[in-house]
């Protein structure tokens, strides 16, 4: 088993929390993991990217070769596009469709959507909106993790345990809110996957 993941987003969106949870879950499953982080401006609004390599065998490098990523997981559609060249032919993009407009020349969202549609396997929906509905706006990163969890060879139970582990110091309300968001994202992605298969 081997999964190469690129996590992308904007500072303040909680992308690195997703990386932490997957790291905790992978170790609990007895898997090997290597992670590399690249921060743009680490304050709110800069781009943040992390590569995560999870494998049952040895991992020699923490970088994902171009065109070999199994999964691009992004909380921002333009950030998902930025890493498209890294995606393998059969790989999946899981991204929020809600733009985080932090630059004056941000492209038209329709143009971004058109580009994303060229990829073979894409799950895109407004994760902030879903987070607001089921939990709190701050848990859109857990909606993202839930949607992406279908393509990561770790059981959702183990990922949920990792969410509890990572957020337990913040209290039960925060833990519950994050679990709700994770489950909602996972369920939403199921609809996309079953549509793709028919």
């Amino acid at each position: 088993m081997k999964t190469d993941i690129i996590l992308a987003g904007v500072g303040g969106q909680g992308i690195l929390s997703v990386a932490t949870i997957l790291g905790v879950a992978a170790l609990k499953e007895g898997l090997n993991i290597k992670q590399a982080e690249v921060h743009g401006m680490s304050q709110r609004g800069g781009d943040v990217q992390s590569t995560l390599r999870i494998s049952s065998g040895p991992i020699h490098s923490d970088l994902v070769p171009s065109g070999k990523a199994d999964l691009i997981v992004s909380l921002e559609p333009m950030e998902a596009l930025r890493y498209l060249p890294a995606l393998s032919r059969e790989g999946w993009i899981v991204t929020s469709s809600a733009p985080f407009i932090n630059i004056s020349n941000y492209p038209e969202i329709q143009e971004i959507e058109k580009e994303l549609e060229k990829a073979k396997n894409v799950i895109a929906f407004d994760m902030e909106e879903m987070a607001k509905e089921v939990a709190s706006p701050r848990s859109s990163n857990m909606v993202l993790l839930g949607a992406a969890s279908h393509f990561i060879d770790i059981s959702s139970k183990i990922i949920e345990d990792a969410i509890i582990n990572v957020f337990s110091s913040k209290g039960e309300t925060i833990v519950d809110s994050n679990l709700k968001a994770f489950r909602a994202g996972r369920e939403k992605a199921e609809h996309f996957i079953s549509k793709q298969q028919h």
Side-chain angles (χ1 to χ4, degrees), residues 67-94:
K68 296 289 184 199
D70 300 297
L71 194 52
I72 292 174
V73 178
S74 178
L75 261 177
E76 211 290 324
M78 194 175 84
E79 291 300 320
L81 264 190
R82 188 196 297 262
Y83 296 104
L84 208 50
L87 192 67
S88 75
R89 207 193 231 123
E90 297 304 316
W92 279 82
I93 295 172
V94 180

Side-chain angles (χ1 to χ4, degrees), residues 76-147:
E76 211 290 324
M78 194 175 84
E79 291 300 320
L81 264 190
R82 188 196 297 262
Y83 296 104
L84 208 50
L87 192 67
S88 75
R89 207 193 231 123
E90 297 304 316
W92 279 82
I93 295 172
V94 180
T95 183
S96 181
S97 57
F100 185 102
I101 300 172
N102 54 349
I103 49 171
S104 55
N105 58 346
Y106 193 96
E108 288 292 318
I109 189 65
Q110 291 80 356
E111 283 176 35
I112 293 175
E113 284 166 358
K114 218 188 295 179
E115 285 303 309
L116 281 173
E117 279 163 17
K118 290 179 186 172
K120 187 177 172 190
N121 302 311
V122 182
I123 290 177
F125 60 93
D126 189 333
M127 296 184 184
E128 264 180 48
E129 199 48 53
M130 174 167 273
K132 271 183 219 159
E133 278 168 33
V134 299
S136 85
R138 287 188 63 92
S139 55
S140 57
N141 60 338
M142 292 301 108
V143 172
L144 177 71
L145 177 57

Side-chain angles (χ1 to χ4, degrees), residues 21-37:
I21 288 162
L22 285 174
V24 169
L27 293 174
K28 198 160 181 192
E29 283 273 49
L31 297 166
N32 295 313
I33 182 164
K34 278 212 165 142
Q35 182 186 355
E37 282 170 23

